[in-house]
Amino acid sequence: MIYEGTINKINTEQMTITEVRHFPVVKHYAKRLGLVETINEMVQTEMELSPGMAVLAMVLDTLSGRSPLYRLTEFFDEKDTELLLGESIEPSCFNDTNLGRAMDRIYEKGTLSIFSKISQTALAEFGVDGRRLNFDTTSVLVYGDYTREEEDDPPFKITYGYSKDKRPDLKQFLISMLCVDRNIPIFGATKDGNASDKTLNNEILTQVSKHMANHGLSKGAYVYVADAALVSEANFMEADKNGTLVLSRLPATYKECDRAIDAAVAAGKWEDVGTLADDSGSEKRPSAHYKTQDIDVALFGKTYRAIVVHSSSHDKRRHKRIDRMIEDDYKKLEKLCKTATATPFFCEKDARVASEKLVRSADSSYHTVATDIKEVPKYGRGRPVIDQPRTITGYEYVLSATVHQVPEKTELLRRKAGCFVLITNITDKETWSSDELLTLYKRQIGIEKNFGFLKDPAIVNSIFLKRAERIEVLGLVLLIALLIWRLMERSMRMYVEKTGNAMVGWDKKTRRSPQHS
């Protein structure tokens, strides 16, 4: 069949084709958050590039996998800025001067207030449950001197401190973060590189009631979860004073931790919780199986509820560690015994002193040392006369020793293996059962994954900004990018849970639990 008429051919030479990837989705989520409008309303300027549009551009660049804030003009070159940003903007507008000025104005307004407003919109717009809070901190390394002697009051100090990345040779600053609903950030701040986690927890506890009131949650309606750094007298007193429910892990350095585990093991009244993971694991690495037991502990002059938890995965790892401990203990005693028995003694008293010392050396170990002293005669020189007894010139004393394991000590150690203790001021066991609190604490891993996101080389290759103020604004950009990414992930997870359908990931493999590692 032949059609008559004129067909207008498309001139492909005049077309520009670019890959938009997932950027329109990011822009859609930013629009639902009112990102650009919120920032422009709070940071009013007459600059060529508005602060809100600058932040949106940096968020897109951050989630592209490139190093953020690096040659944004190249990033937007040959891209449809109207599609990605909502309005047509020349790529040249995203030069370092415009971005730097926008960051300076954002810092003057306050990064905390800006992110707080955006996170409030996120919880309301996406129906996020804000009743379960997870708090943690991480260190971010910097390369360079970062000495600001001329600055009297920097926003935070870039200095040496305890390095969670095992690089004490580098200066750092800390990022503190508060998340809800597994791993959605609602609060974030940059802190001094040598700040204490105990102190940072206390700062948050003094502010959390006011902060959560902005999200429509009153005291007692939410639970604050943090790692073992939360456990201090000052922090628990602050929590009790302002009515904040808290949950943490009781450090093994507290005597009450060992006492609670001993009491639980002796009682044996475990409640089987099962597995808490979203998947069943694999044959080589099955999901951990948990059981719990409630115990009261006395701490800081008060009685608190403790939950002794036994984890099968902890149990396997600790049994291996126990085996190594027992073996090392045996080798240590064997070496002492070998040294002590290598040379005979000239008098029985010296031999007994050495014997008693060997026995005492095993008092704090998992073994005992059994010793024996033999009197051995010494004879004169020369060939003995036939049919006549040899002449004894004296005696020496030979010490022998053997090491034996003490089953009673090692058996108790193995029974306690795999146990750890959670501590809380929550007394309502009907509403907050032990398995519910364990599940809540296990979700602390979500905030740790957030730190992995922020420190991913594909996201932040290195902190190269020369001013602490702009680093703080960079932190705001990264938090907004993380917030959008987690909201996208949450939507996908809810879709999977609702429909039961698996999704195809970047690696072309189907999966039911979308997660950025």
Side-chain angles (χ1 to χ4, degrees):
M1 185 178 295
I2 299 176
Y3 292 93
E4 295 182 359
T6 302
I7 300 177
N8 294 324
K9 294 183 178 180
I10 299 175
N11 186 355
T12 56
E13 294 181 357
Q14 297 179 354
M15 294 180 60
T16 300
I17 301 175
T18 60
E19 184 181 10
V20 297
R21 300 169 63 193
H22 58 287
F23 299 136
V25 180
V26 175
K27 179 240 180 179
H28 172 74
Y29 275 74
K31 184 177 181 180
R32 289 185 65 180
L33 293 176
L35 175 63
V36 175
E37 295 78 11
T38 298
I39 295 177
N40 286 343
E41 182 180 341
M42 297 181 71
V43 187
Q44 297 182 2
T45 69
E46 296 181 359
M47 294 189 296
E48 177 185 21
L49 180 66
S50 71
M53 199 59 70
V55 170
L56 177 57
M58 289 187 283
V59 167
L60 288 168
D61 188 28
T62 299
L63 296 179
S64 71
R66 291 167 16 103
S67 295
L69 307 184
Y70 181 69
R71 295 181 180 176
L72 246 64
T73 54
E74 293 183 8
F75 174 70
F76 284 104
D77 190 30
E78 296 186 351
K79 282 188 172 61
D80 188 344
T81 54
E82 186 172 0
L83 173 66
L84 300 184
L85 301 174
E87 59 182 81
S88 181
I89 300 177
E90 287 296 321
S92 59
C93 290
F94 298 102
N95 57 65
D96 291 346
T97 301
N98 284 344
L99 291 176
R101 290 174 62 198
M103 295 176 77
D104 292 341
R105 294 303 299 272
I106 290 172
Y107 172 78
E108 291 172 5
K109 178 59 183 179
T111 57
L112 290 180
S113 59
I114 292 174
F115 188 71
S116 178
K117 182 66 175 178
I118 294 172
S119 66
Q120 288 178 41
T121 304
L123 266 61
E125 176 69 18
F126 291 90
V128 177
D129 185 358
R131 295 175 298 170
R132 292 160 176 80
L133 311 175
N134 292 85
F135 176 81
D136 205 352
T137 67
T138 191
S139 55
V140 179
L141 304 176
V142 297
Y143 296 81
D145 186 29
Y146 282 92
T147 301
R148 298 290 305 279
E149 295 180 354
E150 73 282 1
E151 189 172 23
D152 296 329
D153 188 23
F156 58 92
K157 295 178 181 178
I158 300 176
T159 184
Y160 298 106
Y162 173 73
S163 177
K164 300 181 180 182
D165 295 312
K166 312 300 181 184
R167 289 297 305 271
D169 57 311
L170 296 177
K171 290 184 178 182
Q172 63 182 26
F173 61 91
L174 299 185
I175 293 180
S176 64
M177 188 184 298
L178 191 66
C179 296
V180 298
D181 197 8
R182 296 191 183 188
N183 51 20
I184 296 176
I186 62 168
F187 172 88
T190 47
K191 295 295 182 179
D192 296 348
N194 59 357
S196 164
D197 280 6
K198 291 183 182 294
T199 303
L200 295 179
N201 269 289
N202 196 265
E203 289 180 7
I204 293 293
L205 285 171
T206 59
Q207 306 168 10
V208 69
S209 59
K210 179 180 178 181
H211 189 75
M212 298 313 297
N214 294 332
H215 293 281
L217 293 172
S218 59
K219 296 178 181 179
Y222 52 86
V223 180
Y224 178 89
V225 185
D227 62 15
L230 171 64
V231 183
S232 73
E233 184 172 6
N235 290 341
F236 269 65
M237 286 180 62
E238 184 64 37
D240 291 339
K241 183 178 70 174
N242 61 32
T244 301
L245 303 178
V246 295
L247 173 66
S248 183
R249 181 168 177 166
L250 182 61
T253 52
Y254 285 85
K255 292 181 180 179
E256 282 293 89
C257 181
D258 272 342
R259 190 199 65 78
I261 293 175
D262 289 342
V265 169
K269 298 179 181 180
W270 297 101
E271 177 184 346
D272 196 291
V273 175
T275 58
L276 300 178
D278 294 330
D279 54 46
S280 57
S282 61
E283 184 177 350
K284 291 184 177 180
R285 194 172 183 178
S287 297
H289 191 98
Y290 296 96
K291 52 185 181 180
T292 63
Q293 193 172 159
D294 270 32
I295 300 284
D296 287 339
V297 294
L299 213 62
F300 315 130
K302 294 188 64 175
T303 299
Y304 290 98
R305 177 185 175 190
I307 302 167
V308 180
V309 182
H310 180 274
S311 163
S312 61
S313 63
H314 279 47
D315 193 281
K316 291 178 181 178
R317 290 196 299 269
R318 290 186 180 179
H319 269 294
K320 291 181 180 179
R321 190 171 70 181
I322 289 170
D323 290 338
R324 290 195 298 270
M325 287 169 54
I326 294 173
E327 184 179 359
D328 291 343
D329 187 59
Y330 178 83
K331 289 179 178 179
K332 178 183 176 182
L333 289 175
E334 271 282 293
K335 186 176 180 180
L336 289 174
C337 291
K338 187 176 181 180
T339 302
T341 59
T343 308
F345 296 88
F346 293 105
C347 71
E348 185 178 3
K349 182 179 180 181
D350 289 345
R352 294 198 179 282
V353 169
S355 171
E356 292 170 359
K357 185 177 180 181
L358 272 182
V359 172
R360 287 196 304 271
S361 67
D363 287 347
S364 59
S365 75
Y366 306 108
H367 298 82
T368 59
V369 177
T371 61
D372 184 44
I373 300 174
K374 288 186 178 180
E375 186 181 61
V376 179
K378 295 179 66 178
Y379 301 97
R381 294 183 177 182
R383 181 178 297 177
V385 179
I386 297 175
D387 296 333
Q388 289 187 12
R390 299 179 66 184
T391 302
I392 298 175
T393 59
Y395 293 90
E396 62 183 10
Y397 300 87
V398 177
L399 175 65
S400 61
T402 54
V403 181
H404 303 280
Q405 189 179 131
V406 183
E408 293 79 8
K409 290 185 178 180
T410 56
E411 179 61 26
L412 179 61
L413 197 64
R414 294 188 185 279
R415 286 173 63 193
K416 292 166 59 177
C419 291
F420 61 93
V421 181
L422 301 181
I423 183 171
T424 180
N425 60 357
I426 300 173
T427 57
D428 184 359
K429 297 182 181 180
E430 293 294 328
T431 305
W432 296 98
S433 62
S434 58
D435 58 327
E436 170 73 13
L437 291 176
L438 175 59
T439 301
L440 181 56
Y441 182 79
K442 292 291 291 181
R443 287 183 177 174
Q444 188 76 358
I445 193 174
I447 195 170
E448 294 172 2
K449 290 181 177 180
N450 281 351
F451 290 140
F453 177 99
L454 294 179
K455 298 164 77 166
D456 189 333
I459 304 296
V460 183
N461 198 16
S462 63
I463 302 297
F464 55 87
L465 299 178
K466 297 301 181 183
R467 297 177 57 189
E469 294 87 345
R470 291 187 179 180
I471 290 180
E472 183 171 309
V473 179
L474 171 62
L476 170 66
V477 173
L478 296 178
L479 278 173
I480 294 173
L482 175 63
L483 172 63
I484 291 175
W485 190 262
R486 291 310 188 203
L487 289 172
M488 292 166 57
E489 182 183 272
R490 177 177 179 272
S491 297
M492 289 187 286
R493 184 183 293 111
M494 291 177 66
Y495 168 81
V496 170
E497 293 174 353
K498 182 178 180 180
T499 65
N501 298 330
M503 295 180 299
V504 179
W506 302 111
D507 53 4
K508 306 300 182 184
K509 295 180 181 179
T510 58
R511 59 189 66 202
R512 295 183 178 275
S513 57
Q515 182 71 46
H516 178 91
S517 60

